Amino acid sequence: MATTLTPVLSAHWDEKDSWTLAAYERHGGYRGLRAALAMDPSAVITEVKDSGLRGRGGAGFPTGMKWSFLPKPDGGPRYLVVNADESEPGTCKDIPLMLANPQALIEGVIITSYAIGCHKAFIYLRGEVVHVYRRLLNAVAEAKAKGYLGDDILGSGFDLDVVVHAGAGAYICGEETALLDSLEGRRGQPRLKPPFPAVAGLYARPTVINNVESIASVPAIVTGGAEWFKSMGTERSTGFGFFSLSGHVTRPGQYEAPLGITLRELLAMAGGIRGGHQLKFWTPGGSSTPLFTEEHLDIPLDFESVGAAGSMLGTRALQIFDETTCVVRAVERWIEFYKHESCGKCTPCREGNYWMVQVLHRLERGQGTQEDLDTLLDICDNLLGRSFCALGDGAASPVTSSIKYFKDEYLRHVTEGGCPFDPAQSALFQGAHAR
Amino acid sequence: MSFSAEAGQRLAADAQQIIARYPVPRSALLPMLHLVQSEEGFVSADGVEFCAEQLDLTAAEVAAVATFYSQYKRHPNGTYTVGVCTNTLCAVMGGDAIFEELSEHLGVGHDQTTEDGAITLERVECNAGCDYAPVVMVNWEFFDNQTPTTAKDLVDELRAGRDVAPSRGAAKVCSFKEVSRVLAGFPDGRANEGVQAGGPTLEGTLLARRNNWTAPAMAAPVPAVPAEQVAAETTAASAGASGSDAPSVPAGTRERAGTVAGKPAGEATHGSQDNGSATTPPPKEG
Ligand SMILES: Cc1cc2nc3c(=O)[nH]c(=O)nc-3n(C[C@H](O)[C@H](O)[C@H](O)COP(=O)(O)O)c2cc1C
Ligand code: SF4
Ligand code: FES
C-alpha cells in the first residue's frame, strides 16, 4: 500500500480521557502555544503561510494568507470566529474532533488570536450537538484555570477571552457571512462580498473565520514547523486531514491521512465496500461536490486533482454508495435538503430547489418524462454561478453530476414507470421496507 | 409578560449573564431563545416578548429570528425530541425505514408530539454522524447505528420514564428543557460523562496504531526564530542544499509514514498536475 495514515489530531483519541486538559498535555499539548508566545505574531503567520495549510472547511483557501489580509491594527477590536457549524451532508469530522480532543481547537484558537491580534474569539457551534457544546465549554474552563486563557496568558502580556456560542439549526449558518449575521443575533443570511470579513466582519470589524480542523491544525504546525507539515501531502495540498468514510463500507469512520491519498487506498484500510457489493457512486467532499464513480478510485484526493477530475475536495466527506442505491433517490433527498435550508434571499436558489424537488419527486414516482432531465439541467444552469452564495451553486452539483454519469438510470425511471430499486436492499438491517 | 414574577426575575438574571458574554447585546439573542425554551419548552409569545425587552428589540424582530431556526419550537415540545436523520446517507442506510416504523409505532408524524407529551418526532438533517448511520438524535444526543427495533425500544423506554444513555453523550439523556438551558450556555456539569469517541471515530487511530503508522516525527520544538530566518531556511531546504533541515525521522519510519517525506517521489501522492518532485528531500536514515 503506497500511502499510510498520519494521525496527528487523532493520535490519542483511543485514550478514555482524551478530551481532558491533562490528557492533552500528556501528549505535548500547549507546547505550540509556548513556542508561539516566544515568537513575534507576524512570525507565527509566516510559519502558517509557509506550511501551505489550506482551509479545511471546504473551499481550501490558504489559511496564513487569509490571516495576512487583515488591515493594519487601528486600535479597535479584531475577531477570530471558528466555524463549528459542520452541517454539509456527509461531513462528520469536526464534531468527533471536538468531542474527543477539544483542547487542540482551544490551543489553535489561542495561537491564532495571538498571531492576528485578537482578544475575543468565538466558536460558533451548530446547536444540534449538546454534548460537544458541554465539552467545549469545559475545555475553555479548564484552559482558563490553567492560565492558557484570560489575562496575561503564561506571563506573555497577551489577553484572550473565548466565547462558545450555540447556533439553533440552520445549514446556511455554515456560510461564513451568514454565520456572522447569526452570531450578531439575526437570521442567518449571507452578506454581499466585498467587503470581505477580513475588512468588515463581526460587528463590521476585521475578522478571521476558519474551520475547526484548520484551527486545530495550527498548534502542530507551530510545534513541528512548516517543513514538517509540508513533508505530508502534495506540493500544493500540503499536510494531513480527516477523510471521513461513510455509507456502504465495511468500517466507516475517520481516517487521518496526508492529502493526496486515494479512495482505493482508503477503502483498503476500511475493509472495502460491504461484503458482496460494489461501489456505485461517491461524494469526494460532501453533497455539494459533484459525484464520482468507480472510475475515480485512483484520483489523488487533493484540491488540484479532484478539481481537475470535475469535482471538489470539499470537506473530504466520502459518502459511499453501492449498486443497491438508486441515484435518483439519493439526489432527490439532497435537493430536499437544499430546498429546506435555502435561506430564501435569492431567487435562483429559493425557486430552483423548490422546482427541482417537484421534478425529482415525479421521476421517482414514475410520473416523469424524458424532458424532465432537460428541465433539471436548465434549472441547474440558473443556479450555478447565479446564486447569491455557494449553497445554491452546491445544489446543482449532485443533479448535474448524477445525470452525467447515470442518465440511463434516470431514463429507466421514465420507461419503467417508477424507481427500479428496492430501498430495503440498501439498508444495513434486514426487513427495512419500502418507503 | 405572563411569566411568574419569580420566573421573570430568574430569567432576567440569566439573560444579563448571557448579554455580558458579548461585545454587542444583540448577539445574546440566540442563546436567549434557547433560555426561554428551557423555561416553557418552546418559544411562546411571552418568550419572544421577554427577549425583546431584554435586548431592546421589537417583538417582530425577535420573532423573525426565532422562526428562521429549526431548533426553536413554536408549539410546546415533548419532553424528548426524537430526530431521525433522513438526509441521503442515513436515509439510504435505513433512516427512512426507522422513521416510518417509529411514526407508525408512536402514531405521530413529523413535528408532532405524542398525546402523553413525552415525544416529539422529527426528521432531521445530517447531524455530522454519518459514519454511524443510521443516526437518531434524542434531545441532540447521539444514538448511533440504529435499527427500527432499537429505535422503537428507545422510545418505549423514554415513554416509560426510564433513563436512557446515548451512544456518545452524557450518562443519560436530559429533558428538552434541561438541554435547552445548556444550549443557552449554562453548563450542567455533565461534560466529563460519556465516552471520548465511538468505534468509527477510532477506526483510523487504531488501524494506525496496529500498523505502527505515524506522522513523520517532529524535530525538536521550533525555536523562536525571526521570520526572515525561517524564510531563508525554507529556501535552503527546498533548494536541496542540505537534507539536514528535514524533520528527523527515526529509522524505520521510512517504511511507515505514508508521506512524501517517507517514500520515494514516484510513490508520493501527488496530484496529476504536480510535477512529482518531493517538497522536501527524503529523510536520512537514522
Ligand atoms: C452553505 C455553506 C455551508 C458551509 N458550512 C460550513 C461549515 O459547516 N463549516 C465550515 O467550516 N465551513 C463551512 N462553509 C465554508 C465557509 O463559508 C468558509 O469558507 C470556511 O468556514 C472558512 O474556513 P477555512 O478557510 O478554514 O476552511 C460553508 C459554506 C457554504 C456556502
Ligand atoms: S444561494 Fe440560497 S442560501 Fe445562498 S443567499 Fe441565495 S437563497 Fe440564500
Ligand atoms: S446523513 Fe445522517 S448523520 Fe449525516
Side-chain angles (χ1 to χ4, degrees):
Chain A
M1 190 186 300
T3 310
T4 60
L5 298 177
T6 50
V8 175
L9 294 170
S10 64
H12 305 288
W13 283 0
D14 53 336
E15 293 179 16
K16 296 266 174 261
D17 62 343
S18 69
W19 70 85
T20 62
L21 179 57
Y24 188 59
E25 288 184 317
R26 203 155 66 218
H27 297 292
Y30 285 96
R31 260 204 317 175
L33 176 63
R34 290 188 168 85
L37 290 175
M39 293 161 79
D40 190 72
S42 69
V44 177
I45 298 184
T46 304
E47 194 71 34
V48 172
K49 238 189 206 168
D50 289 346
S51 77
L53 173 67
R54 294 172 63 173
R56 301 300 194 226
F61 193 84
T63 303
M65 197 186 294
K66 184 184 276 189
W67 299 358
S68 66
F69 286 162
L70 288 184
K72 294 223 167 330
D74 61 1
R78 13 203 313 133
Y79 298 108
L80 169 67
V81 177
V82 175
N83 190 341
D85 194 57
E86 187 159 79
S87 311
E88 165 83 8
T91 310
C92 51
K93 63 189 180 67
D94 298 338
I95 293 300
L97 165 62
M98 291 184 285
L99 199 60
N101 189 9
Q103 290 294 350
L105 175 62
I106 304 299
E107 186 184 4
V109 166
I110 307 168
I111 296 173
T112 306
S113 298
Y114 173 73
I116 65 170
C118 153
H119 301 289
K120 184 130 192 151
F122 297 87
I123 300 172
Y124 184 105
L125 174 71
R126 68 180 296 180
E128 302 106 316
V129 279
V130 67
H131 208 54
V132 177
Y133 191 47
R134 292 188 184 105
R135 290 265 162 97
L136 284 173
L137 289 171
N138 182 64
V140 167
E142 277 199 284
K144 207 167 189 165
K146 200 75 193 271
Y148 294 134
L149 279 174
D151 292 342
D152 191 18
I153 294 170
L154 300 179
S156 64
F158 174 64
D159 308 335
L160 178 68
D161 176 31
V162 175
V163 176
V164 191
H165 179 97
Y171 166 59
I172 189 59
C173 291
E175 196 281 335
E176 56 187 21
T177 60
L179 186 155
L180 294 175
D181 261 40
S182 178
L183 184 51
E184 291 181 4
R186 299 169 194 280
R187 297 164 75 91
Q189 289 191 313
R191 300 175 178 176
L192 193 64
K193 292 189 269 193
F196 288 93
V199 176
L202 186 62
Y203 313 128
R205 294 294 307 166
T207 302
V208 165
I209 306 174
N210 274 123
N211 170 256
V212 168
E213 190 187 353
S214 310
I215 294 297
S217 300
V218 167
I221 291 172
V222 171
T223 312
E227 289 305 313
W228 168 79
F229 190 75
K230 286 202 293 191
S231 74
M232 291 167 268
T234 70
E235 194 169 339
R236 279 182 291 165
S237 298
T238 59
F240 50 84
F242 285 104
F243 291 82
S244 310
L245 270 66
S246 63
H248 292 130
V249 292
T250 307
R251 288 186 293 277
Q254 305 303 317
Y255 295 82
E256 199 179 5
L259 301 195
I261 194 170
T262 66
L263 180 60
R264 191 185 299 282
E265 291 169 324
L266 286 164
L267 277 178
M269 295 175 187
I273 301 292
R274 67 172 174 156
H277 294 276
Q278 301 93 46
L279 174 62
K280 181 173 175 183
F281 61 93
W282 53 292
T283 64
S287 61
S288 304
T289 63
L291 298 177
F292 273 170
T293 65
E294 207 178 359
E295 68 182 87
H296 304 99
L297 271 171
D298 294 308
I299 304 275
L301 297 172
D302 59 58
F303 291 104
E304 291 72 31
S305 308
V306 177
S311 188
M312 289 173 282
L313 185 62
T315 51
R316 290 150 281 122
L318 307 163
Q319 304 174 88
I320 317 267
F321 299 92
D322 70 19
E323 84 291 347
T324 63
T325 317
C326 172
V327 79
V328 181
R329 175 185 177 207
V331 171
E332 174 193 31
R333 194 56 60 86
W334 277 320
I335 300 305
E336 283 176 3
F337 165 78
Y338 290 103
K339 175 193 160 203
H340 183 243
E341 300 298 327
S342 168
C343 82
K345 182 168 181 149
C346 70
T347 316
C349 169
R350 186 186 60 239
E351 299 297 318
N353 282 306
Y354 174 83
W355 285 111
M356 288 206 293
V357 165
Q358 312 293 310
V359 174
L360 287 161
H361 272 332
R362 67 174 180 250
L363 278 166
E364 251 309 78
R365 283 198 307 255
Q367 296 156 355
T369 63
Q370 205 162 328
E371 290 74 56
D372 280 341
L373 270 66
D374 299 324
T375 308
L376 286 174
L377 292 173
D378 263 2
I379 298 173
C380 287
D381 257 0
N382 277 311
L383 273 170
L384 194 62
R386 290 192 174 92
S387 302
F388 189 82
C389 85
L391 185 147
D393 296 329
S397 292
V399 177
T400 52
S401 60
S402 63
I403 294 179
K404 175 172 162 193
Y405 296 117
F406 299 101
K407 187 166 182 182
D408 287 351
E409 189 167 314
Y410 274 90
L411 292 177
R412 278 183 66 195
H413 282 72
V414 177
T415 55
E416 294 178 26
C419 182
F421 291 85
D422 171 12
Q425 301 301 311
S426 313
L428 284 188
F429 40 80
Q430 295 296 307
H433 56 72
R435 307 190 261 164
Chain B
M1 264 272 316
S2 64
F3 286 144
S4 70
E6 178 278 325
Q9 251 174 21
R10 178 166 43 79
L11 291 175
D14 288 340
Q16 289 314 307
Q17 274 193 50
I18 297 174
I19 292 170
R21 294 177 203 148
Y22 301 93
V24 173
R26 185 165 176 163
S27 283
L29 182 50
L30 266 65
M32 211 178 286
L33 285 163
H34 285 303
L35 178 72
V36 299
Q37 289 210 129
S38 77
E39 186 68 18
E40 295 191 292
F42 73 118
V43 178
S44 68
D46 291 342
V48 166
E49 195 57 48
F50 171 82
C51 293
E53 263 172 36
Q54 297 297 317
L55 293 170
D56 208 10
L57 298 169
T58 65
E61 284 170 320
V62 173
V65 173
T67 52
F68 186 84
Y69 297 93
S70 59
Q71 277 183 289
Y72 300 133
K73 305 295 181 163
R74 279 177 250 183
H75 313 286
N77 201 72
T79 311
Y80 301 99
T81 294
V82 174
V84 182
C85 177
T86 53
N87 202 299
T88 299
L89 196 284
C90 281
V92 165
M93 307 298 281
D96 276 348
I98 293 174
F99 181 86
E100 253 184 47
E101 292 204 23
L102 269 189
S103 177
E104 205 170 292
H105 185 70
L106 294 170
V108 294
H110 168 71
D111 200 21
Q112 293 176 353
T113 303
T114 52
E115 259 170 38
D116 58 5
I119 286 169
T120 302
L121 183 66
E122 280 185 9
R123 295 170 179 276
V124 298
E125 298 297 1
C126 175
N127 221 93
C130 324
D131 46 348
Y132 296 88
V135 168
V136 171
M137 304 299 295
V138 180
N139 286 347
W140 312 117
E141 299 269 26
F142 285 104
F143 286 78
D144 301 328
N145 300 117
Q146 293 296 294
T147 68
T149 310
T150 58
K152 281 186 282 193
D153 289 348
L154 167 61
V155 295
D156 288 348
E157 289 294 296
L158 293 170
R159 293 183 86 177
R162 285 191 280 271
D163 286 350
V164 172
S167 317
R168 292 173 289 148
K172 66 162 207 166
V173 177
C174 300
S175 73
F176 180 79
K177 289 181 180 176
E178 287 165 342
V179 163
S180 296
R181 186 169 171 84
V182 176
L183 292 177
F186 296 100
D188 60 0
R190 295 181 178 273
N192 290 320
E193 295 176 1
V195 295
Q196 85 285 13
T201 300
L202 295 178
E203 284 294 352
T205 304
L206 295 176
L207 181 70
R209 179 138 314 149
R210 281 197 298 275
N211 288 295
N212 266 333
W213 292 338
T214 60
M218 290 181 183
V222 277
V225 282
E228 301 77 16
Q229 202 180 324
V230 171
E233 282 173 7
T234 306
T235 318
S238 51
S242 152
S244 63
D245 286 343
S248 67
V249 182
T253 303
R254 211 191 148 113
E255 307 325 320
R256 300 194 246 123
T259 63
V260 176
K263 66 194 173 199
E267 276 175 47
T269 51
H270 281 297
S272 54
Q273 298 160 316
D274 286 321
N275 60 17
S277 70
T279 50
T280 48
K284 297 242 151 65
E285 297 286 341

